[in-house]
Amino acid sequence: MLENPQDVERLMMERYAHSLQFKGKVRIKSLASDYNNDDDVELLPRRLTKKERETTVYYPPACKNGRRHWQICEKVVPSFIIAGAEHSAADVLYETLRTHPQVWDLAKSNAVYERTGNASLDVPDNGTPFFGSQSYNDVDPATKNLEMYLQQFPSIKDIPIIHTRPSGEALPHIQYGMGQFNMAPKSPNSRILVGEIAPSYIHMDGASKRISSTMPEMKAVFIFRDPIERAYLNYLAQRQYAAGFMFEEIVAEELLILKECISRPGSKRWTEFLTCHSEEASKTAKRMGLPNRPRASNSRDLVVKGLYYSQLNEFVKDVPFPKVLVLRTEDLYDKKSTVSTMARLSQFLNIDSSPFMNFPIEIGADPMSLLREMNDNIVLDEGEMLESASNDSDLDENRRSHHPLDQATRTRLQRVFEPFNQKLVDMFEHRQDFPGWDY
């Protein structure tokens, strides 16, 4: 008989994870993921097809006939979405990717136009990502949705790529990002990509189905952080909505919610499990006096958003495996694997990987590593303060704002996440494609 409450929780999560049997007949296959950790990164050679070398464009129905008018309104069709996960450096991955000369967005076009003195473009202020917003029309998932979605992306005329004169002489280059690139429109490396970053898509009900219906050729990129550290960063980012409760207290309440929802009939269906979680979380928030605001709900789902296996399993029901790439945050920040991670992403998107191998990549430090250093310093400062018996109020504020992740809570969460982490690893053809996390 299990007497330890943590053992009971672990057994509960193991049984629930194993009840969510993976239905896919084909696992997520390897994509040149076996890289060396030294400076020389070698990609598996692969010849791009004609379709992969070309930029896909879309002509809105309102576009007038005639080549001159088509060139004015032709839009680049987005080819990728960084769709998860929150607080896992999805923004860092996208910002690094957009330094590539073949990847563009409205903000990048504006940066070039500002240097050349040309007029800037209107960048829409996006709140809720399109495929999760009320603007999406489920009745007509084709033309209207596509045109609304394309408003966030540049037209062909807005992308200042380098053309060549008829004589073959290149026009003056534009310097941007990692170096100087002269890209003729018909060269193999001239394919232009645009894409979206929306890490909330992975846990949005119905987002994957909407993406598949509207953009069937879209590729989905996911980057996952150790779910324990993801939960902690999530808490710190939403601390103003925690009403003074510590991370450990919020987690303890959510684990009770998980226990309640797992015991309900229909919990094997992820959508029903999320519905239960949302209902119970609202009740708990009211009882604890947490703010009842849309953004405040992010502080009540610290654990459930780290159940990557369930979320990814739901997503690939609509977006097939060949169009899915999963990366680890730890590999992006690790200097030994940053280049190979970006090279792997480049090959997945069918763009030239040499810019990431030939130019230094500066992505900064992992916030979790900075927090660990900060926590070490706080412990030292606390000892000094206790010796001097001064600044008690400052000490209490520091401890509550940046207190180290409690080891007992970490151990408890390890037992919760471990079964789901293993199921996630099992989704891949080879373990080196996604090694998971060792606890």
Side-chain angles (χ1 to χ4, degrees):
M1 182 176 179
L2 298 175
E3 296 182 357
N4 189 331
Q6 293 187 14
D7 291 336
V8 175
E9 285 179 352
R10 177 184 176 85
L11 181 61
M12 175 186 70
M13 299 305 288
E14 281 183 348
R15 289 176 175 174
Y16 181 58
H18 288 298
S19 71
L20 302 172
Q21 292 299 322
F22 183 54
K23 303 299 182 183
K25 295 182 179 179
V26 182
R27 293 180 177 177
I28 300 177
K29 292 189 174 182
S30 174
L31 182 68
S33 59
D34 191 13
Y35 296 107
N36 298 322
N37 285 332
D38 54 17
D39 294 334
D40 298 326
V41 179
E42 296 182 0
L43 288 175
L44 299 181
R46 187 174 72 85
R47 184 182 296 276
L48 298 181
T49 65
K50 181 179 180 181
K51 182 178 180 180
E52 291 172 338
R53 292 196 303 267
E54 295 177 346
T55 299
T56 305
V57 296
Y58 171 77
Y59 300 95
C63 202
K64 296 179 180 179
N65 293 328
R67 181 175 179 82
R68 183 175 62 181
H69 292 291
W70 284 356
Q71 290 178 338
I72 292 176
C73 59
E74 60 184 354
K75 301 283 291 186
V76 183
V77 175
S79 55
F80 70 91
I81 292 178
I82 300 179
E86 293 180 339
H87 304 284
S88 296
D91 55 339
V92 176
L93 182 67
Y94 178 73
E95 288 301 319
T96 305
L97 177 62
R98 69 189 288 273
T99 62
H100 193 289
Q102 291 178 248
V103 180
W104 288 83
D105 58 17
L106 289 175
K108 182 172 177 178
S109 296
N110 275 339
V112 175
Y113 286 139
E114 287 174 2
R115 289 200 296 272
T116 58
N118 294 321
S120 61
L121 307 170
D122 291 331
V123 179
D125 182 16
N126 297 321
T128 303
F130 178 72
F131 292 111
S133 70
Q134 295 180 352
S135 299
Y136 188 91
N137 185 350
D138 287 297
V139 178
D140 178 20
T143 306
K144 291 183 179 179
N145 286 324
L146 179 60
E147 292 191 14
M148 290 184 64
Y149 185 56
L150 292 181
Q151 292 177 7
Q152 333 179 26
F153 304 98
S155 301
I156 287 289
K157 65 181 178 62
D158 299 326
I159 300 176
I161 64 172
I162 304 307
H163 296 264
T164 55
R165 295 189 176 97
S167 62
E169 178 185 0
L171 295 173
H173 64 262
I174 293 176
Q175 182 173 347
Y176 188 84
M178 294 175 289
Q180 302 170 1
F181 295 86
N182 291 330
M183 297 182 354
K186 300 300 181 182
S187 68
N189 293 335
S190 65
R191 180 171 184 252
I192 298 300
L193 264 68
V194 299
E196 181 185 12
I197 171 175
S200 58
Y201 277 151
I202 189 174
H203 61 80
M204 280 186 175
D205 185 22
S208 59
K209 186 175 182 179
R210 289 176 167 186
I211 292 170
S212 178
S213 299
T214 308
M215 308 288 295
E217 298 300 318
M218 183 78 78
K219 291 184 176 181
V221 179
F222 299 94
I223 181 166
F224 295 151
R225 181 192 291 276
D226 179 335
I228 299 175
E229 297 190 345
R230 193 220 71 81
Y232 188 54
L233 287 175
N234 193 158
Y235 166 78
L236 293 179
Q238 302 292 327
R239 193 171 58 242
Q240 68 268 33
Y241 301 116
F245 286 97
M246 303 291 282
F247 174 72
E248 293 77 15
E249 296 169 315
I250 298 290
V251 165
E253 291 293 335
E254 188 176 0
L255 290 178
L256 293 176
I257 294 174
L258 294 183
K259 182 178 180 180
E260 168 65 24
C261 292
I262 288 175
S263 64
R264 289 190 183 182
S267 64
K268 293 182 181 180
R269 290 188 290 272
W270 182 242
T271 52
E272 293 192 19
F273 180 83
L274 287 182
T275 299
C276 170
H277 185 280
S278 177
E279 293 173 353
E280 294 299 319
S282 297
K283 295 177 184 177
T284 301
K286 185 176 181 179
R287 174 172 53 81
M288 298 175 66
L290 299 179
N292 185 20
R293 303 174 187 172
R295 288 186 59 85
S297 63
N298 291 333
S299 64
R300 304 195 294 266
D301 47 18
L302 306 181
V303 178
V304 73
K305 286 185 178 179
L307 302 179
Y308 302 134
Y309 165 76
S310 297
Q311 298 171 77
L312 186 60
N313 194 8
E314 189 72 20
F315 201 94
V316 297
K317 291 178 181 178
D318 301 302
V319 180
F321 289 149
K323 299 185 183 301
V324 172
L325 176 68
V326 184
L327 305 170
R328 292 196 322 162
T329 305
E330 293 79 4
D331 295 330
L332 178 64
Y333 278 115
D334 188 345
K335 293 182 179 180
K336 294 181 180 180
S337 55
T338 299
V339 172
S340 61
T341 298
M342 296 309 301
R344 185 181 178 193
L345 177 58
S346 299
Q347 185 176 12
F348 175 70
L349 298 177
N350 297 318
I351 57 176
D352 183 17
S353 60
S354 60
F356 293 119
M357 293 187 282
N358 297 332
F359 295 88
I361 302 176
E362 299 293 339
I363 63 171
D366 186 350
M368 275 306 301
S369 64
L370 296 177
L371 281 172
R372 294 188 196 101
E373 295 175 5
M374 185 182 299
N375 288 334
D376 291 341
N377 292 334
I378 288 174
V379 172
L380 293 176
D381 291 342
E382 182 176 350
E384 295 173 0
M385 290 180 182
L386 289 175
E387 289 179 4
S388 61
S390 62
N391 297 328
D392 290 339
S393 59
D394 293 338
L395 170 61
D396 183 65
E397 178 63 25
N398 279 336
R399 185 165 53 243
R400 297 187 67 86
S401 299
H402 301 293
H403 70 286
L405 182 57
D406 181 68
Q407 184 58 45
T409 301
R410 177 182 284 275
T411 301
R412 186 180 185 183
L413 287 176
Q414 286 175 355
R415 299 188 178 200
V416 169
F417 285 124
E418 202 164 24
F420 284 84
N421 290 349
Q422 185 57 52
K423 298 285 284 187
L424 177 63
V425 171
D426 292 343
M427 291 183 73
F428 294 82
E429 188 177 35
H430 301 294
R431 185 176 177 85
Q432 66 264 28
D433 293 328
F434 193 86
W437 303 273
D438 293 326
Y439 293 147

